[in-house]
Amino acid sequence: MAFSLTAPPTMMATCHCSRCRKVGASTFVFVEAETFHWISGQDAVARFKAEPPSRYDRCFCRHCGTALGEPGGGASFPINAQCLDDDPQVRARFHEFVVEKPDWYQICDDAVQFAAHPVKSAE
Ligand SMILES: [Zn+2]
């Protein structure tokens, strides 16, 4: 599976919730739909449907196992920052769900931290 972006992502953040951690996609970037273009393998993308309160489906490549985030999920959608080959030219704006962060993981940047989702929790 391969894709290209014709413009840098609009933002990057890290989610420490157990759901994101377990798919290895906790650092994500948001991309505008019109900048995301499949090159190959779109038909190999499998999707786990999100169940409320989770908002985003989880997609991965059936051939290589790469966690993708949710390509195609609206006008702007999150994709896994780890699956980008090149520097996306954005840096983490915040950490969310830090109360679910495992003790062994240490946040080593100055990005703002939220206990839960940024719009649902105070800093
Ligand atoms: Zn999460």
Side-chain angles (χ1 to χ4, degrees), residues 23-104:
V23 296
S26 56
T27 296
F28 58 89
V29 292
F30 261 83
V31 299
E32 300 290 334
E34 66 264 22
T35 69
F36 182 96
H37 304 280
W38 286 109
I39 296 171
S40 65
Q42 182 178 3
D43 55 344
V45 174
R47 175 178 296 258
F48 281 113
K49 293 297 290 179
E51 293 184 11
S54 297
R55 294 171 53 199
Y56 295 107
D57 291 349
R58 293 288 186 245
C59 298
F60 68 95
C61 177
R62 284 193 194 94
H63 295 312
C64 65
T66 298
L68 285 171
E70 193 189 12
S76 177
F77 49 79
I79 60 173
N80 175 14
Q82 269 76 243
C83 70
L84 300 173
D85 290 329
D86 301 321
D87 186 335
Q89 305 297 323
V90 291
R91 295 295 180 264
R93 185 181 295 173
F94 61 82
H95 295 266
E96 63 182 359
F97 293 96
V98 294
V99 296
E100 297 184 35
K101 179 180 76 57
D103 290 340
W104 51 258

